[in-house]
Amino acid sequence: MEKIIVKGGKRLQGEVDISVAKNSVLPIIVATILNPTPIVIKNVPILEDVTVLINLLRELECEVNFSQITGDLIIDTSNLKEVDANSELIRKMRASFLIMGPMLSRFGRCKISMPGGCNIGSRPIDLHLKGFKCLGIDSEIGYGYVESKVKKIVGNRVYLDFPSVGATENIMMSAVLAEGKTIIENAAEEPEIWDLARFLNSMGARITGAGFGRITIEGVKSLRKPEPFTPIFDRIEAGTFMVAAAITNSKLTINGVNEQHLMPNIEKLKECGVHCIVEGNRMIVDGTGEKKPVDIKTMPYPGFPTDMQPQMMVLLSMTPGVSVITETVFENRFMHVSELGRMGANIKIDGKVAIVEGVSQLTGCNVKATDLRAGAAMILAGLVANGQTEIGEVYHIDRGYTNIEEKFIKLGANIERVTIQ
């Protein structure tokens, strides 16, 4: 069993390089199912979720080669077989459900077990299945499985009741090779949606409007071999290090950013008293100033991201005054509150609202990563806590952050990963 141990009290300094986005590279890996030619994805991060998808593709008899030195991932799905509905790998992560769209496009049927992932709240698949139905795909749910079938996918208008990222991605991939035009209304606008469309278009797909709420997919008969593709940087990892600068009263340079993608974080930190200067794809974050309480309401992009809510809560828990955080995306996204409370944070929960009253000091203790982003929040709390913070269940953190302790060590943090017998 591994744990991360953090000894607080040190200011950070220097530069950190942001990795490719987890939430971008996962659907791009899945999208290779649509095209039975060798495809190269560049700068792929070494993440647990990436490993699970690679192993899933290998289980389906795809040829996959991953260089952890260069980050080059080469995928050849020409020998792809239909998925085994009993696969344990499907249950391990939410993104595995994204194989439905490309598998239906290629085989006309797909049966998989219900997907897993972080226990941060209900993430129903009804929007995925609603989109499939609009494209002529019939689905049936029973005994923990989902089975979908279609003779021919035909383009249509799809309206999503909620701008679900996963449903948008699945419908996009289903419609790439469909007959006719598909229009997705109220589509998710996250940068990762735009990046998936960029990848699909590099293979000859005809997708417009990705990232703007109304996506049009003109079906094509076949796809071509694309040039090596590099996904976008991880805006959530960048946001995590932005908060790290703020909470430790430090000045950091973050390499690998897109100002537009980070605008919700930049503006909220500015309101809190943190200055961010963007120069191309690098950002200088000055967190040395006096902090002020702020109110946050998580929303789908371009609103404030739910994936940054736990990290910001740590910052606000040590900011003088009272801040209010309203979580509108996931109902179980406050599981980290009890862990912060053990460290001395003063946070009260009322339904979807967290009332955070800043304290002058947190105290290190034994805590756990209740989910991926909560784990990052525990590291941030440990950086400023008095004494030692021991974080358990760090496998959650490894799902979305590459070598996070090494990156913090480079910045001067006193942090290490240990194996407990």
Coordinates of all heavy atoms in Angstrom, one line a residue, residues 67-125:
S67 N 5.6 4.1 -25.2 CA 6.9 4.4 -24.7 C 6.7 5.4 -23.5 O 6.3 6.6 -23.8 CB 7.8 5.0 -25.8 OG 8.9 5.5 -25.2
Q68 N 7.0 5.0 -22.3 CA 6.9 5.9 -21.2 C 8.0 6.9 -21.2 O 8.0 7.9 -20.4 CB 6.9 5.1 -19.9 CG 5.6 4.2 -19.8 CD 5.5 3.5 -18.4 OE1 6.2 3.8 -17.5 NE2 4.5 2.7 -18.3
I69 N 9.0 6.7 -22.0 CA 10.1 7.7 -22.1 C 9.7 8.8 -23.0 O 9.9 10.0 -22.6 CB 11.4 7.0 -22.6 CG1 11.8 5.9 -21.6 CG2 12.5 8.0 -22.8 CD1 13.0 5.1 -22.1
T70 N 9.2 8.5 -24.2 CA 8.9 9.6 -25.1 C 7.4 10.0 -25.0 O 7.1 11.1 -25.4 CB 9.1 9.1 -26.6 OG1 8.2 8.1 -26.9 CG2 10.6 8.7 -26.8
G71 N 6.6 9.2 -24.4 CA 5.2 9.5 -24.3 C 4.4 9.1 -25.6 O 3.2 9.4 -25.7
D72 N 5.1 8.5 -26.6 CA 4.4 8.1 -27.8 C 3.6 6.8 -27.6 O 4.0 5.8 -27.1 CB 5.4 7.8 -28.9 CG 6.1 9.0 -29.5 OD1 5.7 10.1 -29.0 OD2 7.0 8.9 -30.3
L73 N 2.3 6.9 -27.9 CA 1.4 5.8 -27.9 C 0.9 5.4 -29.3 O 0.4 6.2 -30.0 CB 0.2 6.2 -27.0 CG -0.9 5.1 -26.9 CD1 -0.4 3.9 -26.2 CD2 -2.1 5.7 -26.1
I74 N 1.3 4.2 -29.7 CA 0.9 3.7 -31.0 C -0.2 2.7 -30.9 O 0.0 1.6 -30.2 CB 2.1 3.2 -31.8 CG1 3.3 4.2 -31.8 CG2 1.8 2.8 -33.2 CD1 4.6 3.7 -32.3
I75 N -1.3 2.9 -31.6 CA -2.5 2.0 -31.5 C -2.9 1.5 -32.8 O -3.1 2.3 -33.8 CB -3.7 2.7 -30.8 CG1 -3.3 3.2 -29.4 CG2 -4.8 1.8 -30.7 CD1 -4.3 4.1 -28.7
D76 N -3.0 0.2 -33.0 CA -3.5 -0.4 -34.2 C -4.7 -1.3 -33.9 O -4.5 -2.3 -33.2 CB -2.4 -1.2 -34.9 CG -2.8 -1.8 -36.2 OD1 -4.0 -1.7 -36.6 OD2 -1.9 -2.3 -36.9
T77 N -5.9 -0.8 -34.3 CA -7.1 -1.6 -33.9 C -7.6 -2.4 -35.1 O -8.8 -2.9 -35.1 CB -8.2 -0.6 -33.5 OG1 -8.6 0.2 -34.7 CG2 -7.8 0.4 -32.4
S78 N -6.8 -2.7 -36.0 CA -7.2 -3.5 -37.2 C -7.7 -4.9 -36.8 O -8.5 -5.5 -37.5 CB -6.1 -3.6 -38.2 OG -4.9 -4.2 -37.7
N79 N -7.2 -5.5 -35.7 CA -7.6 -6.8 -35.3 C -8.6 -6.8 -34.1 O -8.8 -7.8 -33.5 CB -6.4 -7.6 -34.9 CG -5.4 -7.9 -36.0 OD1 -5.9 -8.2 -37.1 ND2 -4.1 -7.9 -35.7
L80 N -9.2 -5.6 -33.9 CA -10.1 -5.5 -32.9 C -11.3 -6.5 -32.9 O -11.8 -6.8 -33.9 CB -10.8 -4.0 -33.0 CG -11.9 -3.7 -32.0 CD1 -11.2 -3.4 -30.6 CD2 -12.6 -2.4 -32.4
K81 N -11.6 -7.0 -31.7 CA -12.7 -7.9 -31.6 C -13.8 -7.3 -30.7 O -13.5 -6.3 -30.0 CB -12.3 -9.3 -30.9 CG -11.9 -9.2 -29.5 CD -11.6 -10.6 -28.9 CE -11.3 -10.4 -27.4 NZ -11.1 -11.8 -26.8
E82 N -14.9 -7.8 -30.7 CA -16.0 -7.3 -29.9 C -15.7 -7.4 -28.4 O -15.1 -8.4 -28.0 CB -17.4 -7.9 -30.2 CG -17.8 -7.6 -31.7 CD -19.2 -8.1 -32.0 OE1 -20.1 -7.8 -31.2 OE2 -19.4 -8.7 -33.0
V83 N -16.2 -6.4 -27.6 CA -15.9 -6.4 -26.2 C -16.6 -7.5 -25.4 O -17.7 -7.9 -25.7 CB -16.3 -5.0 -25.7 CG1 -17.8 -4.8 -25.7 CG2 -15.7 -4.8 -24.2
D84 N -15.8 -8.0 -24.4 CA -16.4 -8.9 -23.5 C -17.2 -8.1 -22.4 O -16.6 -7.3 -21.7 CB -15.3 -9.7 -22.8 CG -15.8 -10.8 -21.8 OD1 -17.0 -10.8 -21.6 OD2 -14.9 -11.5 -21.2
A85 N -18.4 -8.4 -22.3 CA -19.3 -7.6 -21.4 C -18.8 -7.8 -19.9 O -19.2 -7.0 -19.1 CB -20.7 -8.0 -21.5
N86 N -18.1 -8.9 -19.6 CA -17.7 -9.2 -18.3 C -16.4 -8.6 -17.9 O -15.9 -8.8 -16.8 CB -17.6 -10.7 -18.1 CG -19.0 -11.4 -18.2 OD1 -19.9 -11.0 -17.4 ND2 -19.1 -12.3 -19.1
S87 N -15.8 -7.8 -18.8 CA -14.5 -7.3 -18.5 C -14.4 -6.4 -17.2 O -15.2 -5.5 -17.0 CB -14.0 -6.4 -19.7 OG -12.8 -5.7 -19.4
E88 N -13.4 -6.8 -16.4 CA -13.2 -6.1 -15.1 C -12.7 -4.7 -15.5 O -12.9 -3.7 -14.7 CB -12.2 -6.8 -14.2 CG -12.8 -8.0 -13.5 CD -13.9 -7.6 -12.6 OE1 -13.8 -6.5 -11.9 OE2 -14.9 -8.3 -12.5
L89 N -12.0 -4.5 -16.6 CA -11.4 -3.2 -16.9 C -12.5 -2.2 -17.2 O -12.4 -1.0 -16.9 CB -10.5 -3.4 -18.2 CG -9.3 -4.2 -17.9 CD1 -8.6 -4.5 -19.3 CD2 -8.3 -3.6 -17.0
I90 N -13.7 -2.6 -17.8 CA -14.8 -1.7 -18.0 C -15.3 -1.1 -16.7 O -15.6 0.1 -16.6 CB -16.0 -2.5 -18.7 CG1 -15.5 -2.9 -20.1 CG2 -17.2 -1.6 -18.7 CD1 -15.4 -1.7 -21.1
R91 N -15.3 -2.0 -15.7 CA -15.9 -1.5 -14.4 C -14.9 -0.5 -13.6 O -15.3 0.1 -12.7 CB -16.1 -2.7 -13.5 CG -17.2 -3.7 -14.0 CD -17.5 -4.7 -12.9 NE -18.6 -5.6 -13.4 CZ -18.3 -6.8 -13.8 NH1 -17.0 -7.2 -13.9 NH2 -19.2 -7.7 -14.2
K92 N -13.7 -0.5 -14.1 CA -12.7 0.3 -13.3 C -12.8 1.8 -13.6 O -12.4 2.6 -12.7 CB -11.3 -0.2 -13.7 CG -10.8 -1.4 -13.0 CD -9.3 -1.6 -13.2 CE -8.7 -2.7 -12.3 NZ -7.3 -2.8 -12.4
M93 N -13.3 2.2 -14.7 CA -13.3 3.6 -15.0 C -14.5 4.1 -15.8 O -15.0 3.3 -16.7 CB -12.0 4.0 -15.7 CG -11.7 3.3 -17.0 SD -10.2 3.8 -17.7 CE -10.5 5.5 -18.1
R94 N -14.9 5.3 -15.6 CA -16.0 5.9 -16.3 C -15.8 6.0 -17.8 O -16.7 5.7 -18.6 CB -16.3 7.2 -15.7 CG -17.6 7.9 -16.2 CD -18.8 7.2 -15.7 NE -20.0 7.8 -16.4 CZ -21.3 7.4 -16.1 NH1 -21.4 6.4 -15.3 NH2 -22.3 7.9 -16.7
A95 N -14.6 6.4 -18.2 CA -14.3 6.6 -19.6 C -14.5 5.4 -20.5 O -14.6 5.5 -21.7 CB -12.9 7.2 -19.8
S96 N -14.4 4.2 -19.8 CA -14.6 3.0 -20.6 C -15.9 2.9 -21.4 O -16.0 2.3 -22.4 CB -14.4 1.8 -19.7 OG -15.4 1.7 -18.7
F97 N -16.9 3.6 -20.9 CA -18.2 3.6 -21.5 C -18.2 4.3 -22.9 O -19.0 4.0 -23.7 CB -19.3 4.3 -20.6 CG -20.7 4.0 -21.1 CD1 -21.3 2.8 -20.9 CD2 -21.4 5.0 -21.7 CE1 -22.5 2.5 -21.3 CE2 -22.7 4.7 -22.1 CZ -23.3 3.5 -21.9
L98 N -17.1 5.1 -23.1 CA -17.0 5.7 -24.4 C -16.7 4.8 -25.5 O -16.8 5.2 -26.7 CB -15.9 6.8 -24.3 CG -16.2 8.0 -23.4 CD1 -15.0 8.9 -23.4 CD2 -17.4 8.8 -23.9
I99 N -16.4 3.5 -25.2 CA -16.1 2.6 -26.3 C -17.4 2.3 -27.1 O -17.4 1.8 -28.2 CB -15.4 1.3 -25.9 CG1 -16.4 0.4 -25.0 CG2 -14.1 1.6 -25.2 CD1 -15.8 -0.9 -24.8
M100 N -18.6 2.6 -26.4 CA -19.9 2.2 -27.0 C -20.0 2.9 -28.4 O -20.4 2.2 -29.4 CB -21.0 2.7 -26.1 CG -21.2 1.9 -24.8 SD -21.8 0.2 -25.1 CE -23.6 0.5 -25.5
G101 N -19.8 4.2 -28.5 CA -20.0 4.9 -29.7 C -19.2 4.3 -30.9 O -19.7 3.9 -31.9
P102 N -17.8 4.3 -30.7 CA -17.0 3.7 -31.8 C -17.3 2.3 -32.1 O -17.2 1.8 -33.3 CB -15.6 4.0 -31.4 CG -15.7 4.3 -30.0 CD -17.0 4.9 -29.7
M103 N -17.6 1.5 -31.1 CA -17.8 0.0 -31.3 C -19.1 -0.2 -32.1 O -19.2 -1.0 -33.0 CB -17.9 -0.7 -30.0 CG -16.6 -0.8 -29.2 SD -15.4 -1.8 -30.1 CE -15.9 -3.5 -29.6
L104 N -20.2 0.6 -31.8 CA -21.4 0.6 -32.5 C -21.2 1.0 -34.0 O -21.8 0.4 -34.9 CB -22.5 1.5 -31.9 CG -23.1 0.9 -30.6 CD1 -23.8 2.0 -29.8 CD2 -24.0 -0.2 -30.9
S105 N -20.4 2.0 -34.2 CA -20.1 2.5 -35.5 C -19.4 1.4 -36.3 O -19.6 1.2 -37.5 CB -19.2 3.7 -35.4 OG -19.0 4.3 -36.7
R106 N -18.5 0.6 -35.7 CA -17.7 -0.4 -36.4 C -18.4 -1.7 -36.5 O -18.3 -2.4 -37.5 CB -16.4 -0.5 -35.6 CG -15.4 -1.4 -36.4 CD -14.0 -1.1 -36.1 NE -13.1 -2.1 -36.5 CZ -11.8 -2.1 -36.2 NH1 -11.2 -1.0 -35.6 NH2 -11.0 -3.0 -36.6
F107 N -19.1 -2.2 -35.4 CA -19.7 -3.5 -35.5 C -21.2 -3.5 -35.5 O -21.8 -4.6 -35.8 CB -19.2 -4.3 -34.2 CG -17.8 -4.6 -34.2 CD1 -16.9 -4.0 -33.3 CD2 -17.2 -5.6 -35.0 CE1 -15.6 -4.3 -33.2 CE2 -15.9 -5.9 -35.0 CZ -15.1 -5.2 -34.1
G108 N -21.8 -2.4 -35.2 CA -23.3 -2.4 -35.1 C -23.9 -2.9 -33.9 O -25.1 -2.9 -33.7
R109 N -23.1 -3.3 -32.9 CA -23.6 -3.8 -31.6 C -22.5 -3.7 -30.6 O -21.3 -3.7 -30.9 CB -24.1 -5.3 -31.7 CG -23.0 -6.3 -31.9 CD -23.6 -7.7 -31.9 NE -24.2 -8.0 -30.7 CZ -23.5 -8.5 -29.6 NH1 -22.2 -8.7 -29.7 NH2 -24.1 -8.8 -28.5
C110 N -22.8 -3.6 -29.3 CA -21.9 -3.5 -28.2 C -22.6 -3.8 -26.9 O -23.7 -3.3 -26.7 CB -21.2 -2.1 -28.1 SG -19.9 -2.1 -26.9
K111 N -22.1 -4.7 -26.1 CA -22.6 -5.0 -24.8 C -21.5 -4.9 -23.8 O -20.5 -5.6 -23.9 CB -23.2 -6.5 -24.8 CG -23.8 -6.8 -23.5 CD -24.4 -8.3 -23.5 CE -25.0 -8.7 -22.2 NZ -25.5 -10.0 -22.2
I112 N -21.7 -4.1 -22.8 CA -20.7 -3.9 -21.8 C -21.3 -3.8 -20.4 O -22.5 -3.5 -20.3 CB -19.8 -2.6 -22.0 CG1 -20.6 -1.3 -21.9 CG2 -19.1 -2.7 -23.4 CD1 -19.7 -0.1 -21.9
S113 N -20.5 -4.0 -19.4 CA -21.0 -3.8 -18.0 C -21.1 -2.4 -17.7 O -20.5 -1.5 -18.4 CB -20.1 -4.6 -17.0 OG -18.8 -4.1 -17.1
M114 N -21.9 -2.0 -16.7 CA -22.0 -0.6 -16.3 C -20.7 -0.1 -15.8 O -19.9 -0.8 -15.1 CB -23.0 -0.5 -15.2 CG -24.5 -0.8 -15.6 SD -25.2 0.3 -16.8 CE -25.7 1.6 -15.7
P115 N -20.3 1.1 -16.2 CA -18.9 1.6 -15.9 C -18.7 2.0 -14.5 O -19.7 2.3 -13.8 CB -18.7 2.7 -16.9 CG -20.1 3.3 -17.1 CD -21.0 2.0 -17.0
G116 N -17.5 2.1 -14.1 CA -17.1 2.6 -12.7 C -16.5 3.9 -12.8 O -16.8 4.7 -13.6
G117 N -15.6 4.2 -11.8 CA -15.0 5.6 -11.7 C -15.1 6.1 -10.3 O -15.5 5.4 -9.3
C118 N -14.7 7.4 -10.1 CA -14.8 8.0 -8.7 C -16.2 8.0 -8.2 O -17.1 8.4 -9.0 CB -14.2 9.4 -8.8 SG -12.4 9.5 -8.8
N119 N -16.4 7.8 -6.9 CA -17.7 7.9 -6.3 C -18.1 9.3 -5.9 O -18.2 9.6 -4.7 CB -17.7 6.9 -5.1 CG -19.1 6.8 -4.5 OD1 -20.1 7.0 -5.2 ND2 -19.2 6.6 -3.2
I120 N -18.2 10.2 -6.9 CA -18.4 11.6 -6.6 C -19.9 12.0 -6.8 O -20.3 13.1 -6.7 CB -17.5 12.5 -7.3 CG1 -17.6 12.3 -8.8 CG2 -16.1 12.4 -6.8 CD1 -16.7 13.2 -9.7
G121 N -20.7 11.0 -7.3 CA -22.1 11.3 -7.5 C -22.6 10.6 -8.7 O -21.9 9.9 -9.4
S122 N -23.9 10.7 -8.9 CA -24.6 10.0 -10.0 C -24.2 10.6 -11.3 O -24.3 11.8 -11.5 CB -26.1 10.2 -9.8 OG -26.8 9.6 -10.9
R123 N -23.8 9.7 -12.2 CA -23.5 10.1 -13.6 C -24.2 9.1 -14.5 O -23.6 8.2 -15.1 CB -22.0 10.1 -13.8 CG -21.3 11.2 -13.0 CD -19.8 11.3 -13.3 NE -19.1 10.3 -12.6 CZ -17.7 10.2 -12.6 NH1 -17.0 11.0 -13.3 NH2 -17.1 9.2 -11.9
P124 N -25.5 9.3 -14.7 CA -26.3 8.3 -15.4 C -25.9 8.3 -16.9 O -25.4 9.3 -17.4 CB -27.7 8.8 -15.2 CG -27.6 10.3 -14.9 CD -26.3 10.4 -14.1
I125 N -26.3 7.2 -17.5 CA -25.9 7.0 -18.9 C -27.1 7.3 -19.8 O -27.1 7.1 -21.0 CB -25.4 5.6 -19.2 CG1 -26.5 4.5 -18.8 CG2 -24.1 5.3 -18.4 CD1 -26.2 3.1 -19.2

